[in-house]
Amino acid sequence: MFGKILEVKQEKNKVIFLFEQGTGIIEIINPWVVNVFSPLKTNEYKSKAIESLKGEECKINVETTGTHIQITTDKLKINVYENFIVDFYDEIGNILCEDYRGERKPFVRRGNGGKLEEEGHKVLENIKENKVQVIKKLMGDEKFYGLGDKTGNLNKRGYDYEMWNTDEPAPHVESHKSLYKSIPFFITLRDKSVFGIFFDNTYKSYFDMGKENNEYYYFAAEDGNLNYYFIYGDKMEQIISRYTDLTGKTPLPQMWTLGYQQSRWSYDTKDRVIGIAENFRKYDIPIDVIHLDIDYMDGYRVFTFDNNKFPGFKNIMDDLKGMGIKVVTIIDPGVKKDKGYFVYDKGLKNNYYVKDKDGIPYVNEVWPGDSVYPDFADKNVRDWWSENQRIMIEEGVSGIWNDMNEPASFKGPLPNDVVFNDEGIESDHREFHNLYGHLMSKATFKGIKKYTRKRPFVITRACYAGSQKYTTVWTGDNQSFWEHLRLSIPMLLNLGMSGMAFCGCDVGGFSFDCTSELLSRWVQVGCFSPLFRNHSAIHSRDQEPWAFDEETLNINRKYIKLRYKLLPYLYDLMHESECNGLPPMRALVIHYSNDKNVYNINDEFLFGKNILVAPVVEQGKTYRALYLPQGKWFDYWTKEKINGQQIIIKNAPIDVCPMYVKEGSIIPNYPDQRYVGEKVIDELTLDIYEGNGDYEHYEDDGESYNYKNGKYNLYRITQRVKEDISIKFEKIHIGYDSSYKYLKIIFNSSKVKLVTFNNDNVDFVENDNNIEFKINAVDGEIKITLI
Ligand code: GLC
């Protein structure tokens, strides 16, 4: 407890409180974002998530009253009381977030827990006090979103979780407190207000979102500082945007990384990999990436290759590239303890491994047997790891998949006192556990960037807040269960709301055997997740698109081709993400946060703002109920126009994923390609749905950093419906030598009488539900007159 306030000082944007016991600091980052800090462990903030905190000069006013100090920004009022109790109000004085005044009081658990344990049940702990703890009052109607990759429903109200990166091979279920990632950020939606809290503490931390009691929720950590950001905004989009202003945006990836990816533990010989590649061509299924899992290495030694299974590794990479396919290889952190193995020797010589309390490199077991763990807390080690990427890049590898970096360990967890070197200061496993995957991906990203000079493609299993700057993520070892297909949706949506815009899961499920129906439905979700990778475990049945029957093959082809068609739209969304942090795959609540019908939707999502996807995620179902929010929506398949704010029933035979496009939408499409870059796209299709709407389409070379120097194009397309329909096409930034010569317009209405472009009549073809025509890709206005 901090006790009474003894003194208050202001230093620029910081208001410093000297309490009877300890110090508290309120720092105004900008009118919307406030940091609450107390140096319980160190005076420094030491954030690994926030690399450059850009505070804004802003007006703040500090006033002392009898009971508290009030700090005012243009947007917030913050009241600070004794015991460092902090309440937040909006600018006109409505309470947003209030510290809970009482003691924690868990619900009573009756009866004998020991008896329950005898049968093997897990007994819930009653109360755990932590060194750092913030308890907030529940006003009643709070909904919570975010918190990374946690299991359970989209809305985290009523759950409790732990942040402790965990390699979890057991089926992921709702009662799991932690999985692979620690993203201690959540968004609270209540009444008409919305705010986020980012608890930047890397020790094991706890989040109880009203499970322990319905009067409060809390976040707590075993050690470290009290350090959280209160992030306010008018809309949920702004909360995500401001959180990613702090922790970083997902950078625009190379376009091929958005293509379809096929993986397996493992395609373990040259012939097998080439065979897989050929099958994609044979079955006419687009693909951009094949993944090589651990068996390409020599005895699981990272940065080595098995020359028997993959003779002439680089030539194989070149052959695949010739077919338009890139290879991503797995790299785990564990380095085999093996004298004479160059990676191990170099790390040992330079003191690069984490140590036990006696200063000896700490050994545990992973795939190669006894292994040591690079100390990624140390910049020298990260630089070394970055250098090692050169080996992979020179062999023709195009991206790196970082796994087992929780870090995983087969012989029990790493002890708490394993020593890390935090840039010269000794630290321990308790502080660096949750950062291990983050720092490993950061090193990987930097290495790939240095040796390719292109936008790096890294995938990681473990991460911390802010990892989105360096890596994409997947949700780890799921299973081929319908339950896991369902779970993947809220997981990916919450990852997206936690800053991880580029995420995906193992399509078809990792462990267990997939079925034709499950894969058919899963590919219908994968099609819309930014990372679209089918992956499965050793010893499970084959799971490639052709591994089942003709119908499953056709469904895979249909949705993978749809993905390639929507690539320019997805690329636009990734560009948007780099600007404002919004994920491509979005919970409905992000855009419709005033509509209570969407707060708990676990099985529908938006793909960007314009497309609503309501996949079938139950075995045997060929129809489903779904909710359309406000506005008018077009059924993507039938083009039927439907009013929003209602529940509808959609027939969805096995090959149909219900999809709806909002009125006024303009969706860019590419022609069929077998891989990204196969064709020069000289004709961009614009799929247009009647209604007022604006859209910006982004174009660049799809791989380099030249866009940062202005080498990109931005097109604005505006649709206005009056008596006639006017569609304006404008180039608003020209910096890249565009490949577009023509625009193919698909206008989704069959009642068209006349089309003109810049006042010249245009011939159009009438289809069942739409018309199509072609014009030159130059600035101008299309006018459509309906019958
Ligand atoms: C882990 C990964 C999985 C991978 C396997 C072998 O279980 O999560 O994706 O296939 O290790 O490397």
Side-chain angles (χ1 to χ4, degrees):
M1 279 288 138
F2 288 85
K4 293 205 163 60
I5 303 173
L6 303 180
E7 197 187 329
V8 183
K9 294 188 284 190
Q10 190 182 345
E11 287 173 13
K12 290 190 180 154
N13 284 9
K14 281 188 183 175
V15 184
I16 302 164
F17 296 82
L18 298 180
F19 291 99
E20 286 171 324
Q21 284 130 48
T23 305
I25 302 175
I26 300 283
E27 182 177 356
I28 308 300
I29 309 298
N30 61 45
W32 308 92
V33 179
V34 177
N35 176 256
V36 179
F37 183 82
S38 177
L40 302 182
K41 177 97 179 164
T42 55
N43 284 328
E44 298 80 43
Y45 288 60
K46 286 211 323 180
S47 179
K48 304 288 185 212
I50 302 177
E51 293 187 15
S52 57
L53 185 63
K54 288 180 228 87
E56 233 176 69
E57 284 235 352
C58 56
K59 252 194 352 232
I60 43 175
N61 185 43
V62 183
E63 246 174 73
T64 308
T65 70
T67 54
H68 64 274
I69 311 294
Q70 185 168 75
I71 307 166
T72 315
T73 76
D74 282 350
K75 295 292 164 192
L76 285 167
K77 291 186 197 308
I78 306 128
N79 286 357
V80 183
Y81 300 81
E82 63 182 34
N83 287 323
F84 206 18
I85 284 182
V86 186
D87 297 337
F88 296 88
Y89 297 81
D90 68 12
E91 57 191 309
I92 53 166
N94 296 314
I95 184 74
L96 295 169
C97 171
E98 187 175 315
D99 270 357
Y100 184 67
R101 272 28 182 204
E103 292 292 307
R104 277 170 58 190
K105 42 180 179 187
F107 290 116
V108 177
R109 298 190 189 285
R110 295 182 206 282
N112 181 345
K115 247 347 203 195
L116 191 70
E117 232 164 10
E118 270 173 36
E119 206 195 342
H121 294 278
K122 223 178 152 196
V123 175
L124 296 172
E125 256 180 284
N126 235 354
I127 194 157
K128 186 173 182 330
E129 293 294 351
N130 282 291
K131 190 177 149 194
V132 189
Q133 179 170 281
V134 178
I135 313 177
K136 301 281 184 197
K137 182 175 167 185
L138 275 173
M139 322 243 177
D141 64 331
E142 285 87 350
K143 281 76 58 184
F144 299 109
Y145 305 97
L147 293 173
D149 64 346
K150 302 296 184 246
T151 52
N153 295 328
L154 179 75
N155 175 1
K156 296 306 182 195
R157 178 71 187 260
Y159 286 101
D160 68 329
Y161 295 109
E162 292 174 10
M163 295 294 166
W164 188 250
N165 292 357
T166 306
D167 171 17
E168 185 51 88
H172 302 159
V173 291
E174 206 166 333
S175 55
H176 273 127
K177 303 247 190 233
S178 53
L179 283 179
Y180 309 88
K181 302 167 184 64
S182 291
I183 311 190
F185 167 70
F186 61 88
I187 300 172
T188 306
L189 182 66
R190 61 160 295 269
D191 195 9
K192 286 187 179 57
S193 63
V194 60
F195 61 86
I197 287 183
F198 170 39
F199 181 38
D200 193 6
N201 180 312
T202 66
Y203 287 84
K204 188 174 204 173
S205 60
Y206 301 87
F207 288 77
D208 186 301
M209 315 317 282
K211 174 168 186 294
E212 183 173 284
N213 191 295
N214 55 11
E215 287 179 19
Y216 57 80
Y217 61 104
Y218 72 84
F219 49 94
E222 290 189 346
D223 208 340
N225 289 327
L226 168 66
N227 183 13
Y228 73 91
Y229 294 80
F230 181 85
I231 305 168
Y232 181 51
D234 294 331
K235 292 177 173 171
M236 205 183 240
E237 286 111 294
Q238 292 170 339
I239 309 300
I240 299 171
S241 194
R242 291 187 178 128
Y243 166 70
T244 50
D245 284 344
L246 289 174
T247 58
K249 309 276 189 244
T250 299
L252 183 67
Q254 293 192 56
M255 196 187 260
W256 61 264
T257 67
L258 302 174
Y260 178 76
Q261 315 198 9
Q262 183 64 49
S263 184
R264 168 93 201 167
W265 175 14
S266 292
Y267 298 130
D268 59 355
T269 60
K270 171 187 171 180
D271 291 347
R272 180 104 170 90
V273 179
I274 299 288
I276 292 291
E278 286 170 348
N279 271 349
F280 276 92
R281 295 296 169 253
K282 175 169 135 200
Y283 293 114
D284 183 27
I285 298 181
I287 180 169
D288 265 272
V289 186
I290 294 181
H291 288 248
L292 295 186
D293 207 325
I294 47 176
D295 298 289
Y296 76 89
M297 296 180 235
D298 173 15
Y300 308 126
R301 289 173 188 81
V302 288
F303 305 109
T304 70
F305 305 88
D306 184 323
N307 292 323
N308 294 320
K309 293 178 181 164
F310 291 90
F313 193 85
K314 179 150 198 327
N315 294 336
I316 305 169
M317 299 300 105
D318 288 344
D319 289 350
L320 288 163
K321 272 187 200 148
M323 297 172 76
I325 296 174
K326 301 191 169 58
V327 168
V328 168
T329 50
I330 198 166
I331 291 282
D332 294 342
V335 173
K336 186 177 173 74
K337 187 177 174 223
D338 177 22
K339 280 229 161 66
Y341 159 41
F342 72 100
V343 179
Y344 174 70
D345 288 351
K346 176 138 191 203
L348 196 64
K349 190 167 147 231
N350 291 296
N351 225 354
Y352 284 162
Y353 303 120
V354 298
K355 299 185 187 55
D356 67 17
K357 58 181 185 325
D358 302 319
I360 298 174
Y362 171 79
V363 180
N364 202 312
E365 192 182 310
V366 266
W367 304 123
D370 277 357
S371 300
V372 287
Y373 294 79
D375 183 355
F376 293 118
D378 179 349
K379 179 163 186 308
N380 294 325
V381 180
R382 291 201 300 277
D383 287 347
W384 169 56
W385 206 256
S386 297
E387 292 299 315
N388 286 336
Q389 308 306 315
R390 176 187 200 143
I391 301 170
M392 310 308 294
I393 301 302
E394 284 183 350
E395 285 296 315
V397 166
S398 299
I400 298 290
W401 164 23
N402 285 159
D403 188 24
M404 308 294 275
N405 49 4
E406 292 70 31
S409 48
F410 297 164
K411 284 191 179 153
L414 274 68
N416 282 344
D417 57 8
V418 160
V419 181
F420 283 72
N421 174 2
D422 179 12
E423 323 294 9
I425 299 163
E426 201 170 278
S427 185
D428 62 23
H429 180 231
R430 294 177 316 138
E431 185 176 2
F432 275 88
H433 178 85
N434 285 340
L435 287 167
Y436 199 74
H438 172 79
L439 296 169
M440 181 190 190
S441 351
K442 177 171 172 174
T444 305
F445 178 93
K446 290 206 164 153
I448 303 180
K449 186 169 176 185
K450 179 165 170 196
Y451 293 113
T452 62
R453 297 180 174 278
K454 291 184 183 158
R455 309 168 205 164
F457 183 47
V458 184
I459 308 178
T460 189
R461 195 170 70 176
C463 72
Y464 182 68
S467 298
Q468 66 271 13
K469 298 187 284 284
Y470 304 116
T471 181
T472 146
V473 293
W474 97 105
T475 59
D477 296 346
N478 59 3
Q479 315 242 346
S480 299
F481 296 165
W482 286 91
E483 197 52 50
H484 279 191
L485 167 57
R486 283 192 282 278
L487 177 63
S488 72
I489 297 172
M491 254 184 173
L492 295 174
L493 298 179
N494 277 315
L495 273 167
M497 288 191 272
S498 312
M500 299 298 321
F502 197 169
C503 56
C505 66
D506 286 347
V507 169
F510 176 70
S511 307
F512 210 64
D513 284 344
C514 194
T515 63
S516 51
E517 188 189 354
L518 181 59
L519 184 64
S520 300
R521 289 304 190 186
W522 213 316
V523 80
Q524 298 175 22
V525 175
C527 174
F528 305 99
S529 58
L531 178 68
F532 186 13
R533 184 182 78 155
N534 173 324
H535 179 55
S536 57
I538 194 164
H539 217 69
S540 61
R541 62 154 298 166
D542 283 357
Q543 195 174 286
E544 291 79 19
W546 54 84
F548 297 86
D549 46 41
E550 189 78 23
E551 185 181 48
T552 313
L553 171 66
N554 292 340
I555 291 169
N556 271 269
R557 187 187 300 109
K558 174 175 171 182
Y559 285 91
I560 296 172
K561 285 199 170 188
L562 175 62
R563 167 71 163 224
Y564 279 74
K565 184 174 176 177
L566 292 171
L567 265 181
Y569 179 69
L570 177 56
Y571 196 61
D572 285 343
L573 290 173
M574 294 309 301
H575 168 249
E576 190 190 345
S577 239
E578 189 178 41
C579 302
N580 66 13
L582 284 187
M585 196 174 165
R586 300 179 190 164
L588 271 63
V589 69
I590 295 182
H591 291 302
Y592 300 95
S593 47
N594 291 329
D595 182 349
K596 62 181 184 342
N597 296 310
V598 307
Y599 296 159
N600 294 301
I601 295 188
N602 293 296
D603 59 356
E604 284 179 38
F605 56 90
L606 296 167
F607 185 51
K609 212 173 180 168
N610 308 66
I611 301 178
L612 184 146
V613 184
V616 173
V617 289
E618 273 176 64
Q619 189 274 330
K621 269 269 171 81
T622 50
Y623 61 92
R624 62 159 291 175
L626 62 98
Y627 178 72
L628 291 174
Q630 154 267 316
K632 289 195 168 54
W633 298 82
F634 288 79
D635 181 314
Y636 184 76
W637 304 108
T638 64
K639 309 300 176 196
E640 183 195 352
K641 200 170 178 181
I642 305 164
N643 285 329
Q645 279 188 309
Q646 62 161 335
I647 293 166
I648 60 165
I649 306 280
K650 167 75 181 166
N651 276 329
I654 184 74
D655 65 331
V656 172
C657 174
M659 287 168 66
Y660 298 85
V661 186
K662 187 125 194 215
E663 61 180 337
S665 291
I666 295 149
I667 315 274
N669 287 171
Y670 273 176
D672 253 9
Q673 290 192 94
R674 295 184 304 170
Y675 54 89
V676 169
E678 186 194 17
K679 294 179 184 159
V680 175
I681 313 286
D682 60 358
E683 182 179 284
L684 178 74
T685 299
L686 297 175
D687 186 19
I688 301 180
Y689 295 80
E690 189 184 337
N692 293 323
D694 299 318
Y695 187 76
E696 275 182 16
H697 172 58
Y698 173 86
E699 182 195 20
D700 67 9
D701 67 16
E703 54 177 37
S704 79
Y705 280 101
N706 291 343
Y707 75 102
K708 297 257 182 200
N709 303 319
K711 297 212 157 99
Y712 66 90
N713 301 331
L714 207 54
Y715 306 93
R716 183 183 297 137
I717 305 128
T718 328
Q719 187 186 182
R720 293 287 174 269
V721 181
K722 289 194 191 122
E723 260 164 47
D724 289 341
I725 292 153
S726 149
I727 299 164
K728 280 198 186 129
F729 180 79
E730 285 167 275
K731 297 177 182 166
I732 52 174
H733 179 98
I734 291 299
Y736 171 69
D737 190 9
S738 175
S739 60
Y740 304 151
K741 290 201 171 58
Y742 310 103
L743 298 176
K744 177 165 145 189
I745 309 290
I746 297 186
F747 187 73
N748 291 287
S749 165
S750 51
K751 293 177 275 163
V752 173
K753 190 159 76 189
L754 183 74
V755 176
T756 63
F757 181 53
N758 289 342
N759 298 321
D760 294 335
N761 281 3
V762 177
D763 291 338
F764 58 88
V765 176
E766 272 178 280
N767 301 317
D768 280 350
N769 307 308
N770 60 36
I771 59 150
E772 57 180 79
F773 54 92
K774 197 164 153 174
I775 55 173
N776 288 330
V778 293
D779 281 21
E781 184 178 13
I782 301 164
K783 278 209 167 140
I784 298 179
T785 313
L786 298 182
I787 295 167

